[in-house]
Amino acid sequence: VNLVSVYDAPIPGTETVLWDLLLERPPEANISHKVMPTWQQHLDFIESKPYEAWYLIELSLEITEVGYTYRFIGAIYLTKHDEIGLGILEAWQHQGHGAAAVHQLKALYLRPRYFANVAPANLASQQFWLKQGFKPLQVQYVLDG
């Protein structure tokens, strides 16, 4: 896999890939929102550059006469608090692409430690982070006002 910055240059289809990741995310995986944002809210969020680093995960699919064919299969980000967020489109999950993207991100941004926030009911994500060497740190609670 290759990491392509969401921030550095306009990449056709960036917004759509990130939108598709939101559409595929099951409700039990959501932490930051309870209601699907509108398309305009989605675009505004991307434009706000909310993360220290944000990448599309690019996969080279095949070699043709004119070169390689590429497809974006997910996204990964790093917050200013060293939290890694990862999303892989369903068709590309469980193939090692998420682990490869995490490995590349960690090589680009050396930190003493990294965090991954996971919703309590998102057992698949919890298992993924455990396989990457992460361990549980705390249980956090929220009270909506």
Side-chain angles (χ1 to χ4, degrees):
V1 298
N2 184 40
L3 301 184
V4 178
S5 177
V6 170
Y7 297 152
D8 287 347
I11 303 164
T14 297
E15 299 89 354
T16 304
V17 172
L18 298 173
W19 181 256
D20 289 345
L21 286 167
L22 284 177
L23 288 173
E24 285 188 0
R25 187 184 302 164
E28 66 272 8
N30 288 329
I31 295 175
S32 59
H33 65 274
K34 293 181 181 179
V35 177
M36 182 71 177
T38 65
W39 177 252
Q40 188 58 53
Q41 289 169 329
H42 173 66
L43 296 177
D44 292 344
F45 183 78
I46 295 169
E47 184 66 28
S48 74
K49 297 184 177 181
Y51 308 121
E52 179 176 340
W54 198 359
Y55 295 94
L56 293 178
I57 301 167
E58 182 182 56
L59 181 65
S60 172
L61 295 176
E62 61 183 71
I63 301 173
T64 64
E65 291 102 30
V66 295
Y68 288 94
T69 301
Y70 295 97
R71 173 177 286 165
F72 295 117
I73 61 166
I76 189 169
Y77 63 81
L78 180 69
T79 72
K80 294 171 179 73
H81 302 287
D82 303 328
E83 301 155 326
I84 298 174
L86 174 69
I88 303 291
L89 292 169
E90 288 176 8
W92 299 97
Q93 292 177 6
H94 309 290
Q95 298 175 35
H97 305 306
V102 169
H103 180 74
Q104 286 188 33
L105 185 77
K106 288 172 31 185
L108 290 170
Y109 299 89
L110 301 176
R111 301 292 195 262
R113 66 184 187 170
Y114 302 90
F115 302 92
N117 297 318
V118 180
N122 190 349
L123 301 179
S125 186
Q126 291 173 30
Q127 289 301 311
F128 171 83
W129 291 110
L130 288 169
K131 286 180 184 176
Q132 305 316 304
F134 286 63
K135 58 186 179 219
L137 175 65
Q138 70 181 18
V139 175
Q140 185 175 25
Y141 295 89
V142 63
L143 175 63
D144 293 324

Short mmCIF file of all heavy atoms in Angstrom, two decimals, residues 16 18-26 36 90:
data_model
loop_
_atom_site.label_atom_id
_atom_site.label_comp_id
_atom_site.label_asym_id
_atom_site.label_seq_id
_atom_site.Cartn_x
_atom_site.Cartn_y
_atom_site.Cartn_z
N THR A 16 -15.11 11.51 -2.05
CA THR A 16 -15.98 10.36 -2.25
C THR A 16 -15.48 9.14 -1.48
O THR A 16 -16.27 8.44 -0.85
CB THR A 16 -16.09 10.03 -3.75
OG1 THR A 16 -16.56 11.20 -4.43
CG2 THR A 16 -17.06 8.89 -3.99
N LEU A 18 -13.62 9.14 1.23
CA LEU A 18 -13.84 9.41 2.65
C LEU A 18 -15.33 9.32 3.00
O LEU A 18 -15.69 8.84 4.08
CB LEU A 18 -13.26 10.76 3.03
CG LEU A 18 -11.74 10.89 2.84
CD1 LEU A 18 -11.28 12.33 3.07
CD2 LEU A 18 -10.98 9.93 3.74
N TRP A 19 -16.19 9.74 2.10
CA TRP A 19 -17.64 9.64 2.30
C TRP A 19 -18.08 8.17 2.33
O TRP A 19 -18.86 7.76 3.18
CB TRP A 19 -18.36 10.39 1.18
CG TRP A 19 -19.85 10.39 1.27
CD1 TRP A 19 -20.72 9.65 0.51
CD2 TRP A 19 -20.65 11.19 2.14
NE1 TRP A 19 -22.01 9.94 0.87
CE2 TRP A 19 -22.00 10.88 1.87
CE3 TRP A 19 -20.37 12.12 3.13
CZ2 TRP A 19 -23.07 11.48 2.54
CZ3 TRP A 19 -21.43 12.72 3.80
CH2 TRP A 19 -22.75 12.40 3.51
N ASP A 20 -17.54 7.38 1.39
CA ASP A 20 -17.88 5.95 1.35
C ASP A 20 -17.47 5.25 2.65
O ASP A 20 -18.18 4.37 3.13
CB ASP A 20 -17.21 5.27 0.16
CG ASP A 20 -17.83 5.67 -1.17
OD1 ASP A 20 -18.94 6.24 -1.17
OD2 ASP A 20 -17.18 5.41 -2.21
N LEU A 21 -16.34 5.66 3.22
CA LEU A 21 -15.91 5.08 4.50
C LEU A 21 -16.93 5.40 5.59
O LEU A 21 -17.25 4.54 6.42
CB LEU A 21 -14.53 5.60 4.90
CG LEU A 21 -13.36 5.01 4.12
CD1 LEU A 21 -12.11 5.82 4.36
CD2 LEU A 21 -13.14 3.55 4.50
N LEU A 22 -17.45 6.63 5.60
CA LEU A 22 -18.48 6.99 6.58
C LEU A 22 -19.76 6.19 6.37
O LEU A 22 -20.37 5.72 7.32
CB LEU A 22 -18.81 8.49 6.47
CG LEU A 22 -17.81 9.46 7.07
CD1 LEU A 22 -18.26 10.90 6.79
CD2 LEU A 22 -17.63 9.23 8.55
N LEU A 23 -20.16 6.03 5.10
CA LEU A 23 -21.39 5.29 4.80
C LEU A 23 -21.30 3.83 5.22
O LEU A 23 -22.29 3.25 5.66
CB LEU A 23 -21.70 5.37 3.30
CG LEU A 23 -22.18 6.71 2.77
CD1 LEU A 23 -22.28 6.66 1.25
CD2 LEU A 23 -23.52 7.09 3.39
N GLU A 24 -20.12 3.24 5.08
CA GLU A 24 -19.96 1.83 5.42
C GLU A 24 -19.77 1.58 6.91
O GLU A 24 -19.92 0.45 7.37
CB GLU A 24 -18.73 1.25 4.69
CG GLU A 24 -18.95 1.00 3.23
CD GLU A 24 -17.78 0.25 2.59
OE1 GLU A 24 -16.80 -0.08 3.29
OE2 GLU A 24 -17.87 -0.01 1.40
N ARG A 25 -19.43 2.62 7.65
CA ARG A 25 -19.13 2.43 9.08
C ARG A 25 -20.39 2.03 9.84
O ARG A 25 -21.40 2.73 9.81
CB ARG A 25 -18.57 3.73 9.67
CG ARG A 25 -18.08 3.55 11.09
CD ARG A 25 -17.61 4.85 11.72
NE ARG A 25 -16.56 5.46 10.96
CZ ARG A 25 -16.19 6.73 11.12
NH1 ARG A 25 -16.81 7.51 11.98
NH2 ARG A 25 -15.22 7.23 10.39
N PRO A 26 -20.37 0.90 10.53
CA PRO A 26 -21.55 0.49 11.30
C PRO A 26 -21.75 1.42 12.50
O PRO A 26 -20.78 1.98 13.03
CB PRO A 26 -21.21 -0.93 11.74
CG PRO A 26 -19.73 -1.04 11.66
CD PRO A 26 -19.27 -0.06 10.62
N MET A 36 -25.27 10.74 10.60
CA MET A 36 -24.45 10.90 9.41
C MET A 36 -24.43 12.38 9.02
O MET A 36 -25.47 13.02 8.90
CB MET A 36 -25.03 10.05 8.27
CG MET A 36 -24.27 10.09 7.00
SD MET A 36 -22.70 9.21 7.15
CE MET A 36 -22.09 9.37 5.48
N GLU A 90 -14.98 -1.99 3.05
CA GLU A 90 -15.32 -3.39 3.36
C GLU A 90 -14.72 -4.40 2.39
O GLU A 90 -14.25 -5.46 2.80
CB GLU A 90 -16.84 -3.55 3.41
CG GLU A 90 -17.48 -2.91 4.61
CD GLU A 90 -19.00 -3.00 4.59
OE1 GLU A 90 -19.56 -3.69 3.70
OE2 GLU A 90 -19.63 -2.38 5.46
#
